[in-house]
Amino acid sequence: MNENYYNLEVKTVLSDLETSANGLTSQKAQQRLQQNGPNDIPSKKTRSIGQLFFKQFADFMIMVLIVAALISGLIGELIDSAAIFIILLLNAVVGTIQEFRAQRSLEALQKMASPTASVLRDGQTVTLPEEKLVVGDIVLLETGNITPADMRLIMVEELQVNESSITGESQSIIKQQTKLNENNLFTGDQKNCVFKGSLITHGRASGVVFATGLNTEIGQIAKLLQQGEEIKTPLQIRLVKFGRYLATAILCICAILFVLGLIQGQPLLLMFLTSVSLAVAAIPEALPAVITISLALGARKLLKQHALVRNLPAVETLGSVTFICTDKTGTLTQNKMTVERVFEGQQQSSHLAKDYEGLGQAFGEALAISNDVMQKDGIPFGEPTEMALFEYAKHSGFDKDKLIQDIPRQAAIAFDSQRKIMTTLHRNSSGVVAYVKGATENVLSSCLYAQHGAEQIDLNKNQIVAAAEQLANGGYRVLALAKRNFESLPEHINANTIEQNLTFLGLVALTDPLRAEVPKAMADCISAGITPVIITGDHRGTALAIAQRLHIAKGDPKMLDGKELELISDQELVNQVSSIQLFSRVSPIQKLKIVKALQENNQFVAMTGDGVNDAPALQRANIGIAMGQTGTDVARGAADMVLLDDDFSTIVRSVKAGRRIFDNIRKFIKDTMSSNSGEIWTLFLAPLFGLPIPLLPIHILWINLVTDGLPGLAFSAEPAERDVMKRPPRPYNESLFAHGMWQHILWVGLAVGGLSIAMLAWTIERKVDYWQTSVFTVLVFSQLFHSLVVRSDKESIFILGIFSNKPMLVAIGITVFLQLMVIYTPAFNRVLHTQPLPLSELIICIAVSSIIFWAVEGEKYLIRRGMLYQK
């Protein structure tokens, strides 16, 4: 079989496919169906619910937590063990649900095509389920059909096809049956072929099937989706590294502590339990819960802003995005042709359509009635370009329904790809008027005059050609309109007799307009350090015009089109891709190639789109964002997030939400690791100073439970920092502990350890019985003060406002109550081996603990002054 059927004459195509204009016989069709399989898109083998569930535990950090939970249970801390398992279970359930939903993306491909097709079999027209179509079938198409397979056209009558979901080109394509002589044509340029899933917007045709199922253009997209790789989120990448480093550090510290205790003469069992308890305490087991809750709250908030998150980790990924690759049609633009500028008669320049009033009578009538737009139940429908002319005329006071009562249509000469002109003839009070519209150069070549008010004047073609070129260079599709008057309806209605000696009426410039919210949203992305890239199947000029309107492309921007992409190697593209902001006339596999090249450059890529042609790139990107209203089911199924209102500015709000969530997860890690390091330093330093082990295993587990639990979860409610959208995205290889975080953990841990050791020495010196309870209390309150003050990396708590995170205040209040209950309740005294503290001692413990609060405030002051943690 030949792949380039657009290069062949119809007879050659039929011969190559071993068929005829009368179609296949039923017997031959059945043989081919058995040989090649049905004309459908088979789904990728999916994982069961059970497989998806157990996959959630295949993570190093999760495994460490499972070990911690088992150890907690073995040493008798069943509540702590149960809490860890419940958190992990909830985390696994959420992950399973999200992945199960993601598996449905391929199923949407099967809904793209019509369920039946009109086919010639045994020389007769029959209606068959589309999955029974085979190569060589002759299929009949008419307006409203969805093409059931890839076909070479063999007969065409005014056929126009909307292929935007496959090629990204917004306007309908005029089709032909004659062969094309060029090679390696882009899908949208194969004008004598139609492709599975595209919509017939006008006319009739018949075609011979040359590809079915996975061999079709849409089938190739399905293959790309099936081969899609799972991309880890930035947070997942960083947490894997964090888990490995943490586990190694904990094992080393616990081993050293165990040996030091034995050297000091401590009981073997006590030191074993203390070391194990410290290991459990050092692991932030609330981390999965904090992450899940933060992501869930973020997703819930985004839903209120019309962004549906299908994959929870995607919420955080948005905060790391460095490149936004966006489709043009339906994403940046409305996917609706609109008249934007008009040039009437021989005026000096074009005018914005919205500002232009007083259309001439003939010009207005031509726009309104010289089209095939029809109305059904009061709703107009028709080819997109004609709909644009019809709507602009109606807005300007020329209503087709009213005009055709006085100027009824008498005849028409249909548009064809050679003439590029359409003509309609109408009876009026003075005879018959022919209104002509089409490509500027074709219409002008038949014009002798120009309309000027009610008069005809000599035509200045140079002036009009210059205006048309200026509009075309601005990315507009330009049409010319003209007329000719007859005393009566001509006897011969054809192009040679009618489309001559015309009077030029004007030019109209059409475009697929930008969505209203897009310019500001793009500007916000750029100010946040995110580079926008336009990747479209449309023509280079159209893409450039859109980029210039959005101020993405300035001067002479670097661009690549599909043919140029084919000629460069993958490595060349990786080397150049970061400097290219416009890609035009690209295929679905090339969109995927561009996204991969950016990822090879360690970029986090967001991809937005609405068509089937965008789906593979949406799936491959670090985060895929689909349009909810204009997007196809396939695009929505492949995406991580769906914009329910198709509002591009929602992406900017989502980026802010993602950055806030990452900041809050980082604050939790910073808080809990500082607290845990305080416990480690306290236990580690005490033997070195010849002091007894200051805490029992039960104390360590209690501190871990109350200080990492509720306060940790409260970080998920922390508002965004004021500069969150003024910072550049986080670098790909940036550590979770960057920007002074590891230094903070180290010095705060040492400070907490130092204060605890000082309290231990002071109470032992005074020979009081409650020395252990005093150290226990200092550790708890130090960590609570730290949780309160570490809500921002550099803003003072007094600027943030104590009450700006009410859940944190509630969490700290509950924790204080629980600690006081442990100190002053006899039952808890026995269980946790504590003793009541005198009020004065409690006040001293709280005062000593508050030193951490003021020390961290001092650190933030130095950061604000640029004296700490600067690159």
Side-chain angles (χ1 to χ4, degrees), residues 662-700:
F662 180 81
D663 283 351
N664 291 346
I665 291 170
R666 193 170 175 273
K667 288 170 189 175
F668 166 77
I669 294 173
K670 184 178 184 179
D671 180 50
T672 190
M673 293 308 298
S674 298
S675 301
N676 293 350
S677 69
E679 298 165 38
I680 291 169
W681 282 115
T682 301
L683 291 167
F684 190 74
L685 292 174
L688 296 179
F689 286 103
L691 297 170
I693 298 297
L695 299 171
L696 297 174
I698 189 69
H699 295 149
I700 298 170

Side-chain angles (χ1 to χ4, degrees), residues 166-197:
I166 297 173
T167 65
E169 194 167 358
S170 53
Q171 65 190 51
S172 292
I173 307 300
I174 299 162
K175 295 292 182 176
Q176 64 187 61
Q177 66 193 51
T178 53
K179 78 167 187 174
L180 303 170
N181 294 321
E182 294 182 60
N183 294 315
N184 302 318
L185 286 179
F186 176 70
T187 302
D189 294 328
Q190 296 176 27
K191 295 186 177 180
N192 55 9
C193 296
V194 290
F195 303 95
K196 184 177 175 73

Side-chain angles (χ1 to χ4, degrees), residues 744 747-748 751-752 755 781-790 792-799 802 843-864 868:
H744 177 93
W747 80 256
V748 168
V752 171
L755 292 173
F781 277 96
S782 295
Q783 294 182 26
L784 292 180
F785 275 118
H786 185 260
S787 296
L788 182 64
V789 76
V790 83
S792 172
D793 287 336
K794 62 182 180 180
E795 292 286 352
S796 169
I797 188 66
F798 302 108
I799 299 297
I802 297 290
I843 292 172
I844 290 171
C845 288
I846 295 173
V848 169
S849 301
S850 71
I851 293 172
I852 296 300
F853 177 93
W854 299 110
V856 176
E857 275 292 310
E859 178 196 46
K860 293 196 288 186
Y861 173 78
L862 295 176
I863 292 173
R864 292 196 298 274
L868 269 185

